[in-house]
Amino acid sequence: MNLAVFVSGRGSNLKALIDAEELKSLINIVAVVSNKSDCLAFEIAKKKSIDCFTVSNEVSSNSLLFTDLLEIFLEKKISLIVLAGFLKLIPAEFISSFEGKIINIHPALLPSFGGKGMFGMNVHKAVFNSSAKISGATVHFVDSIYDNGLIISQEAVDISDVDSYEEIAERVLNIEHKLLPFTVKKIAENKIVIINKRVKILD
Ligand code: GRF
């Protein structure tokens, strides 16, 4: 299965997918897309000779438009798009061209602590300030509303003893690095089914 991974920053989830032994025979990451041409994630991708593309919602000389990307993805036969820290809103037309084939990892337990503005440390600060005792990671299908699509997988972590939002971020990131490869594996194995609007993961 050919995958594209969308990133904006350091790319630790991209690295987790690249390094996951259990995915080696199942997936090929054939494109990494970012809205920032100088992100750390591109460095990770380039070391593995993965094609990198910079995308923008506006016409510019050093980036592609989503419509260009669509053509490239069809050519590369991409069947799954993973959003791993991608901070730009993806146009609705692009999303509908890949309906049911785009997933996102969110660093909290949706439907809490999601939506517009809830990204990066903002999420962990909100969780910390709420005094919540658990947080975690969520992988969900992407539709045209931020953090809104059906939840595929989640894992929780105890944060009752933390003293800072940075500590929450660290614990959640550890979970993300396992949950995302696990979920991608299940998708690649065709073990995700939707019954009555609930996503079931088969053994
Ligand atoms: C992760 O916490 C992910 O859940 C969120 O953005 C962060 C990306 O981190 N959507 P990285 O670039 O994968 O290190």
Side-chain angles (χ1 to χ4, degrees):
M1 187 175 74
N2 287 351
L3 242 84
V5 182
F6 282 45
V7 293
S8 290
R10 86 197 134 177
S12 69
N13 278 290
L14 167 67
K15 190 165 183 318
L17 289 174
I18 291 172
D19 292 345
E21 281 303 322
E22 69 270 31
L23 290 177
K24 295 241 177 336
S25 61
L26 289 170
I27 65 155
N28 263 326
I29 301 175
V30 297
V32 172
V33 175
S34 180
N35 56 313
K36 290 184 188 157
S37 57
D38 59 351
C39 64
L40 282 173
F42 272 1
E43 286 175 30
I44 295 170
K46 282 175 188 160
K47 272 191 205 139
K48 297 284 171 185
S49 305
I50 301 170
D51 288 343
C52 294
F53 302 94
T54 309
V55 75
S56 167
N57 282 317
E58 286 138 40
V59 178
S60 93
S61 57
N62 50 10
S63 60
L64 299 171
L65 291 169
F66 277 94
T67 44
D68 305 322
L69 212 51
L70 186 59
E71 278 181 34
I72 295 170
F73 279 17
L74 294 177
E75 204 176 291
K76 284 183 173 287
K77 300 194 183 340
I78 284 171
S79 45
L80 181 67
I81 297 173
V82 178
L83 310 186
F86 187 66
L87 297 178
K88 286 275 164 208
L89 188 66
I90 299 179
E93 310 82 68
F94 186 90
I95 292 174
S96 59
S97 304
F98 287 96
E99 211 188 323
K101 292 178 179 163
I102 310 181
I103 62 170
N104 178 50
I105 180 143
H106 184 77
L109 295 173
L110 290 175
S112 295
F113 305 107
K116 201 167 162 43
M118 278 295 179
F119 59 85
M121 280 299 167
N122 293 353
V123 178
H124 303 300
K125 280 181 192 167
V127 171
F128 184 80
N129 291 333
S130 74
S131 192
K133 303 298 179 251
I134 53 167
S135 191
T138 302
V139 180
H140 64 94
F141 286 114
V142 170
D143 61 19
S144 53
I145 303 169
Y146 276 119
D147 302 326
N148 180 68
L150 289 181
I151 292 169
I152 306 168
S153 58
Q154 286 183 308
E155 196 177 325
V157 62
D158 184 349
I159 54 162
S160 55
D161 60 342
V162 297
D163 295 315
S164 68
Y165 62 82
E166 288 93 342
E167 258 181 273
I168 300 176
E170 199 184 318
R171 286 186 199 183
V172 170
L173 196 63
N174 277 331
I175 286 181
E176 290 184 49
H177 294 162
K178 285 179 238 128
L179 189 69
L180 187 59
F182 165 82
T183 310
V184 168
K185 180 170 186 275
K186 291 293 183 182
I187 294 172
E189 292 173 338
N190 258 321
K191 288 190 171 167
I192 303 276
V193 291
I194 303 176
I195 302 166
N196 292 333
K197 284 205 143 197
R198 287 193 64 81
V199 181
K200 302 235 177 214
I201 300 180
L202 308 175
D203 288 336

